[in-house]
Amino acid sequence: EALLARRDPAVLLAATLVVPLVLLRVREPGPVVLLWVAAMVAARALARVPWRRLALGQLPFVAFGTSLVAVNAVTRGSDPLAQVVAVLGPLEITDVGLRTGVALAARTLVVGVCALAFLQVVDPGRLLGSLHQVARVPIRFTVALTAAHRVLEDLPAEWATVRRAHA
């Protein structure tokens, strides 16, 4: 069993939600990229997320991060300290824009790794019980979430049945 799986799910959820808030103040890409590498290693070691799953799970975050780099690279030119590093037609790519975009993309990747590790180790039933007991979430809410989770769990099988019947 993974080390993080033995921890309280509500505490793990709180830690996962705090990470993006802490990263809001970090503007330079270097520390965030190092944090991403550390998060990958920690997810593998502490949550036992397989490397393949980590890599595949990062793909949506990489796609979003790439868009952050592209948009910031061409829209951060108004900074008086920004220096143009390339010109693509009417667009000027600045060093400030690239740094900002890479920092935002790396933040996205860190949040993605934390989410993957959380999903790897937390059982939804335990999480909802913990939210009720530890976080004092009302029982009506946790029961409704439990019911919603069960519906979502059964949805792929139901969808397959509908598709077979349709065929």
Side-chain angles (χ1 to χ4, degrees):
E1 181 181 27
L3 180 66
L4 288 180
R6 292 179 258 165
R7 303 296 171 247
D8 186 83
V11 173
L12 291 176
L13 177 62
T16 302
L17 294 175
V18 164
V19 167
L21 297 175
V22 170
L23 291 176
L24 283 176
R25 306 289 293 158
V26 182
R27 304 254 188 250
E28 288 299 315
V32 186
V33 169
L34 289 175
L35 183 60
W36 174 68
V37 171
M40 292 283 281
V41 171
R44 176 68 186 119
L46 301 176
R48 294 195 180 154
V49 182
W51 288 115
R52 178 174 164 76
R53 183 165 183 210
L54 272 172
L56 291 174
Q58 288 286 278
L59 290 179
F61 298 99
V62 168
F64 182 69
T66 302
S67 71
L68 289 172
V69 172
V71 167
N72 281 280
V74 297
T75 60
R76 299 274 179 165
S78 62
D79 188 334
L81 300 175
Q83 296 197 356
V84 176
V85 294
V87 177
L88 296 172
L91 303 175
E92 292 182 341
I93 297 173
T94 64
D95 60 340
V96 172
L98 282 175
R99 262 197 333 274
T100 302
V102 170
L104 291 171
R107 282 192 231 170
T108 301
L109 293 174
V110 171
V111 171
V113 170
C114 292
L116 286 169
F118 175 79
L119 292 172
Q120 176 76 20
V121 298
V122 173
D123 172 63
R126 266 190 72 216
L127 173 62
L128 293 171
S130 176
L131 286 174
H132 175 65
Q133 292 174 346
V134 175
R136 307 274 189 226
V137 173
I139 191 71
R140 284 182 166 176
F141 189 68
T142 56
V143 168
L145 285 175
T146 303
H149 179 264
R150 288 191 179 141
V151 166
L152 288 176
E153 263 185 343
D154 295 341
L155 200 55
E158 294 292 330
W159 183 250
T161 302
V162 168
R163 289 182 68 193
R164 281 193 305 270
H166 181 69

